[in-house]
């Protein structure tokens, strides 16, 4: 019997030890007990990190939608699978049961087939957070087409690059999207992208905003009439364990975005298992992850993970500040959300606003709070804990990546004691390690090094689409026989991990290795500071010196900036040491961020280096306008 649902720290350690001692039996038991297999595997794991090649459940056959939908029909047919919460609170919420989801996915799958899509074809999905997004993803999976979801806030150029890279035959989009009080004409962006994307033969268009758009004869089709005419049942395509399930692009710091390719069986098993444990999900719970399905977080923990567990998952179309900054909490109250999963960037933005936005709502349904995407600073952690969790709701700080497919290091709520800013302990089956600069593993504690993983896990990406060499170079060549995450981490005396940020962002000052997160954390503790980012710039004596970009809570801060600079450096001296003091501090109204809320330090670094002529691709930024402001005020 596997211990699918971990309930105590003792049990965690027991399960963890077993997962390391005998990984194959460990994963085999989990796979056996919880899913429908059309054919059993003949080998659980085969791996060689030097190639790199990893296969899980070789020989097995299955379909992930049979496991996420059909499997639940006898027992949960009338249970709500998806709650769709529209952008506009006046618009009606939709509750889609498992039975209805089954029908809608089948109809959509039949439309795809009718338009010539077959197993192995790539389908680009460029949709806002409406039910059609979830349904089209699942429809692709049902017929074995490989979905490539592109976040519907990306530009035509970014979309075109992604369509061409994996040669999609089809694009699924909508006339437009609603975000707060804005309407965006998505189809116009698609048309622009398709001016130079000869692989695309068909465009399916869902109706959302009723904007006036052009339909190209023979290429573009309105979705609704096709769905209405489609047959309501669609047999699954039986997939091999290692058949590709999806491609999802993640931006590299330079060059082309990387199309991370995930496969079927291992991904399903790992995502289902982590979802259940990280959120301590119970049958009656309502779960809400605020991410967009355009990110890995949405793939794994809005769709596949919850649905594989027969859960009720909320899909929110809008933004946190529309119609006002209370929207998230209004939704929590309305649907009695039990597990709430969001990103530090959202928490910081919410924490800046008046408390009355929170206090108006009843948040007593919340049992678990989650965070993902970047290191959470201590102040934000405490706000989340005190104000949202009322001091008695565990926070799971989950560390993982597009490449890892699922959560890798995280507390298990009610099981793992938490410490702010620590992602704590590895998940069963995950063997992290820290490496020093010479390529040696650091064995003892405490330790500070580059975070690697030394054994395969079921949901790891298998390759970069069309470029296996780049996959090998990026992840498996820095350290022999290890997957290198690109992140730095500390490990304390008890074995808890704290992620310190991307190692590309590590700055060596006078020979000292400084991670960005702990320093930014110290700066953010200043009561006048809302957020900060630090980068290095060349310095004659120290090699590198630190340049800090700081956003103040109140733009009309009355203290003079000279004093503020002194106070910030005093704080850094206290918390980290004088070595980490900033040579330059620039106050700014914003920081350049990716759409998923990560600071683009590459741009800040170039500005600090005074190399502003070529900032690289800024088209995927959330707030490109802030770049000009920062350049103008650079020190
Ligand atoms: C899931 C996701 C991955 C990078 C990762 C790391 C950062 C994510 C974190 C975290 C500290 C956490 N990151 N979670 N850093 N604490 N809890 O975000 O995937 O978009 O591919 O980003 O995000 O730097 O390497 P992705």
């Amino acid at each position: 019997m596997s211990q699918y649902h971990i309930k105590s720290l003792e049990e965690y350690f027991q399960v963890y030890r077993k997962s390391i001692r005998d990984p194959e039996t460990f994963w085999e038991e989990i796979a056996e007990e919880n899913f429908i297999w059309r054919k059993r595997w003949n080998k659980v794991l085969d791996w060689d990190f030097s190639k790199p090649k990893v296969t899980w459940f070789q020989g097995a056959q299955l379909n992930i939608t049979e496991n996420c939908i059909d499997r639940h029909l006898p027992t949960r047919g009338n249970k709500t699978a998806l709650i769709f919460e529209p952008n506009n609170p006046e618009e009606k919420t939709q509750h889609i049961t498992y039975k209805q989801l089954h029908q809608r996915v089948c109809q959509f799958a039949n439309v795809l087939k009718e338009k010539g899509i077959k197993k192995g074809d790539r389908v680009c999905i460029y949709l806002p957070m409406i039910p059609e997004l979830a349904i089209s993803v699942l429809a692709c999976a049902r017929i074995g087409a490989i979905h490539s979801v592109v976040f519907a806030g990306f530009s035509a150029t970014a979309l075109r690059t992604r369509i061409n890279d994996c040669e999609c035959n089809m694009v699924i989009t909508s006339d437009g999207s609603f975000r707060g009080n804005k309407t965006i004409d998505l189809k116009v962006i698609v048309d622009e992208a398709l001016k130079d994307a000869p692989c695309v033969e068909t465009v399916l268009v869902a109706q959302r905003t009723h904007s006036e758009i052009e339909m190209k004869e023979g290429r573009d089709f309105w979705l609704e009439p096709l769905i209405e005419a489609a047959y309501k049942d669609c047999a699954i395509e039986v997939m091999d364990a290692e058949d590709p399930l999806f491609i999802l692009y993640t931006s590299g710091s330079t060059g082309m975005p990387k199309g991370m390719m995930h496969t079927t069986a291992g991904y399903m098993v790992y995502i289902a298992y982590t979802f259940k444990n990280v959120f301590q999900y119970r049958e009656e719970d309502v779960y809400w992850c605020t991410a967009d399905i355009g990110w890995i977080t949405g793939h794994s923990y809005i769709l596949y993970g919850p649905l594989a567990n027969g859960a009720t998952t909320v899909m929110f179309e809008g933004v946190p500040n529309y119609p006002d900054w209370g929207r998230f909490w209004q939704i929590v109250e309305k649907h009695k959300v039990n597990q709430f999963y969001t990103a530090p960037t959202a928490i910081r933005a919410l924490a800046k606003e008046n408390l009355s936005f929170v206090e108006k709502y009843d948040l007593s349904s919340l049992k678990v709070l989650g965070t993902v995407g970047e290191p959470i600073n201590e102040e934000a952690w405490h706000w989340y804990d005190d104000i949202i969790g009322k001091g008695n709701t565990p926070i799971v700080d989950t560390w993982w990546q597009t490449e890892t497919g699922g959560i890798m290091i995280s507390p298990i709520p009610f099981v793992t004691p938490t410490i702010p800013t620590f992602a704590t302990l590895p998940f069963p089956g995950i063997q992290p390690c820290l490496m020093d600069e010479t390529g040696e593993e650091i064995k003892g504690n405490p330790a500070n090094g580059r975070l690697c993983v030394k054994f395969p896990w079921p949901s790891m990406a298998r390759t970069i689409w069309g470029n296996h060499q780049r996959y090998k170079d990026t992840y498996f060549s820095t350290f022999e026989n290890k997957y290198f995450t690109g992140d730095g981490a500390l490990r304390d005396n008890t074995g808890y991990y704290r992620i310190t940020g991307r190692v590309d962002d590590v700055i060596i000052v006078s020979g000292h290795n400084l991670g960005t997160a702990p320093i930014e954390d110290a700066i953010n503790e200043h009561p006048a500071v809302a957020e900060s980012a630090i980068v290095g710039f060349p310095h004659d004596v120290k090699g590198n010196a630190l340049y800090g970009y700081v956003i103040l809570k109140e733009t009309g801060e009355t203290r003079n900036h000279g004093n503020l600079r002194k106070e910030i450096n005093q704080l850094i001296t206290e918390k980290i040491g004088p070595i980490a003091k900033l040579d330059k501090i620039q106050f700014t109204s914003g920081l350049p961020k990716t759409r998923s809320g990560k600071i683009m330090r590459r741009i800040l670094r170039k500005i600090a280096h005074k190399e502003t002529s070529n900032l690289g691709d800024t088209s995927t930024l959330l707030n490109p306008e802030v770049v000009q402001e920062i350049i103008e005020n650079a020190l």
Side-chain angles (χ1 to χ4, degrees):
M1 237 314 260
S2 74
Q3 280 138 320
Y4 191 64
H5 206 163
I6 298 168
K7 293 179 203 69
S8 70
L9 194 59
E10 198 189 351
E11 193 178 77
Y12 161 78
F13 283 116
Q14 190 196 339
V15 171
Y16 186 77
R17 274 192 300 268
K18 174 175 165 183
S19 77
I20 304 306
R21 209 174 42 237
D22 188 358
E24 298 199 30
T25 309
F26 175 77
W27 289 114
E28 179 161 67
E29 285 178 0
I30 290 175
E32 248 162 13
E33 282 166 34
N34 299 285
F35 305 94
I36 298 177
W37 300 92
R38 289 297 180 106
K39 185 165 162 263
R40 204 190 146 85
W41 50 90
N42 35 45
K43 195 158 195 293
V44 178
L45 170 66
D46 202 12
W47 69 291
D48 179 351
F49 275 179
S50 72
K51 290 203 170 24
K53 181 160 172 56
V54 174
T55 62
W56 283 91
F57 306 108
Q58 219 176 86
Q61 292 190 321
L62 72 156
N63 185 287
I64 196 167
T65 71
E66 183 170 44
N67 281 283
C68 287
I69 308 172
D70 307 46
R71 183 161 59 103
H72 307 308
L73 294 179
T75 50
R76 303 186 177 104
N78 294 320
K79 179 177 174 176
T80 301
L82 275 182
I83 297 178
F84 170 62
E85 181 58 38
N87 176 62
N88 181 349
E90 314 272 291
E91 193 184 322
K92 208 167 160 277
T93 300
Q94 288 180 38
H95 291 259
I96 301 172
T97 65
Y98 274 93
K99 223 194 256 164
Q100 291 164 335
L101 184 64
H102 179 263
Q103 184 187 315
R104 291 177 70 172
V105 168
C106 284
Q107 286 177 304
F108 207 122
N110 285 326
V111 171
L112 295 178
K113 283 211 250 182
E114 190 197 306
K115 291 292 168 203
I117 299 297
K118 49 189 192 317
K119 178 177 174 183
D121 287 351
R122 275 81 58 208
V123 172
C124 174
I125 302 176
Y126 185 72
L127 277 170
M129 284 284 283
I130 55 176
E132 284 76 9
L133 172 51
I135 291 163
S136 59
V137 163
L138 296 164
C140 286
R142 193 155 187 96
I143 64 164
I146 305 170
H147 55 80
S148 167
V149 182
V150 176
F151 173 62
F154 277 173
S155 66
T157 315
L159 175 61
R160 182 189 303 130
T161 311
R162 287 158 178 78
I163 289 172
N164 285 331
D165 183 66
C166 64
E167 296 168 288
C168 296
N169 307 87
M170 178 188 268
V171 177
I172 303 170
T173 189
S174 63
D175 47 1
S177 69
F178 295 124
R179 277 182 81 74
N181 50 22
K182 284 198 254 3
T183 303
I184 300 145
D185 290 336
L186 285 189
K187 177 63 167 55
V188 174
I189 301 172
V190 171
D191 289 340
E192 179 62 31
L194 294 189
K195 281 186 183 157
D196 189 14
C199 46
V200 174
E201 289 157 13
T202 313
V203 179
L204 300 181
V205 187
Q207 201 165 50
R208 178 62 184 138
T209 54
H210 297 267
S211 318
E212 287 261 329
I213 53 158
E214 276 171 36
M215 296 291 279
K216 190 170 162 187
E217 180 82 36
R219 184 194 74 178
D220 303 349
F221 301 90
W222 287 106
L223 186 63
E224 281 76 6
L226 296 174
I227 295 278
E228 258 165 49
Y231 189 56
K232 295 187 173 65
D233 201 359
C234 172
I236 57 155
E237 182 79 31
V238 177
M239 306 295 284
D240 288 337
E242 286 294 335
D243 275 338
L245 175 63
F246 66 86
I247 299 165
L248 186 61
Y249 285 88
T250 175
S251 52
S253 48
T254 50
M256 277 283 292
K258 297 177 289 221
M260 303 313 306
M261 189 194 89
H262 284 278
T263 58
T264 306
Y267 176 81
M268 174 183 78
V269 169
Y270 191 78
I271 299 311
Y273 178 68
T274 47
F275 174 77
K276 179 94 176 175
N277 282 290
V278 171
F279 299 102
Q280 290 283 311
Y281 183 81
R282 308 284 154 135
E283 188 64 39
E284 300 308 319
D285 290 346
V286 173
Y287 162 90
W288 180 24
C289 166
T290 70
D292 192 286
I293 292 175
W295 312 122
I296 190 68
T297 308
H299 279 57
S300 301
Y301 299 110
I302 295 178
L303 287 184
Y304 288 118
L307 297 180
N309 283 282
T312 300
T313 175
V314 177
M315 217 180 141
F316 175 46
E317 183 185 29
V319 291
N321 60 349
Y322 177 79
D324 63 41
W325 281 101
R327 189 69 200 278
F328 274 7
W329 318 125
Q330 178 251 331
I331 295 173
V332 168
E333 177 183 280
K334 180 172 179 187
H335 300 297
K336 301 196 172 45
V337 170
N338 301 112
Q339 290 91 356
F340 176 76
Y341 192 27
T342 195
T345 178
I347 298 169
R348 281 192 299 267
L350 291 157
K352 267 198 266 183
E353 302 304 321
N354 200 299
L355 275 187
S356 63
F357 288 119
V358 183
E359 285 162 353
K360 257 185 21 210
Y361 300 102
D362 176 7
L363 305 183
S364 61
S365 57
L366 290 171
K367 293 197 287 194
V368 177
L369 300 173
T371 139
V372 57
E374 47 171 333
I376 180 164
N377 50 300
E378 213 162 325
E379 214 188 336
W381 195 98
H382 284 298
W383 184 87
Y384 204 24
D385 185 37
D386 295 342
I387 306 298
I388 305 306
K390 319 292 179 207
N392 60 15
T393 316
I395 295 178
V396 289
D397 178 353
T398 64
W399 174 84
W400 57 296
Q401 309 177 293
T402 305
E403 294 84 339
T404 69
I407 293 167
M408 302 285 279
I409 303 182
S410 165
I412 296 174
F414 311 105
V415 168
T416 321
T418 56
I419 306 177
T421 75
F422 280 78
T424 75
L425 297 169
F427 225 73
I430 304 305
Q431 303 189 33
C433 61
L434 296 177
M435 307 295 289
D436 69 16
E437 272 108 82
T438 68
E440 290 298 314
E441 182 178 344
I442 312 169
K443 288 274 169 64
N445 290 340
N448 179 3
R450 280 137 211 264
L451 181 61
C452 291
V453 187
K454 51 182 171 183
F455 195 83
W457 64 100
S459 68
M460 62 191 293
R462 302 296 195 258
T463 192
I464 293 175
W465 185 263
N467 198 344
H468 198 65
Q469 188 61 41
R470 187 175 178 200
Y471 179 66
K472 180 175 173 174
D473 293 346
T474 311
Y475 304 106
F476 295 89
S477 302
T478 317
F479 302 104
E480 204 186 332
N481 243 342
K482 309 234 161 17
Y483 166 79
F484 176 41
T485 66
D487 285 336
L490 305 170
R491 192 172 53 214
D492 75 2
N493 281 321
T494 61
Y496 272 26
Y497 286 86
R498 177 184 181 179
I499 314 303
T500 50
R502 306 288 304 165
V503 288
D504 325 333
D505 300 330
V506 159
I507 308 157
I508 302 183
V509 179
S510 307
H512 291 77
N513 221 327
L514 302 174
T516 49
I519 303 174
E520 288 162 8
D521 225 33
I523 302 172
N524 296 352
E525 274 185 39
H526 191 289
V529 172
E531 203 178 344
S532 60
I534 58 159
V535 296
F537 68 98
H539 187 279
D540 292 346
V541 181
K542 307 187 217 179
N544 289 292
L546 299 180
Y547 190 125
Y549 297 87
V550 175
I551 307 179
L552 297 176
K553 281 189 184 141
E554 312 258 338
T555 30
E557 171 66 47
T558 48
R559 253 172 298 192
N560 80 42
H561 282 177
N563 280 349
L564 265 177
R565 289 191 171 94
K566 244 185 250 154
E567 289 168 19
I568 287 171
N569 269 330
Q570 252 159 19
L571 255 176
I572 296 177
T573 309
E574 277 164 35
K575 300 264 166 192
I576 295 170
I579 181 79
K581 282 206 311 206
L582 309 182
D583 277 40
K584 294 184 180 178
I585 300 181
Q586 176 178 350
F587 296 101
T588 168
S589 70
L591 295 166
K593 291 216 174 153
T594 67
R595 298 276 176 167
S596 58
K598 297 188 208 310
I599 298 167
M600 260 219 204
R601 286 201 181 67
R602 170 172 67 80
I603 291 173
L604 295 175
R605 203 178 298 124
K606 287 213 164 160
I607 296 174
H609 285 225
K610 302 197 187 310
E611 291 166 10
T612 49
S613 55
N614 176 19
L615 289 178
D617 181 17
T618 54
S619 75
T620 56
L621 279 182
L622 180 69
N623 50 352
E625 68 290 345
V626 83
V627 175
Q628 201 46 41
E629 179 207 311
I630 297 178
I631 292 174
E632 277 163 21
N633 300 324
L635 302 171

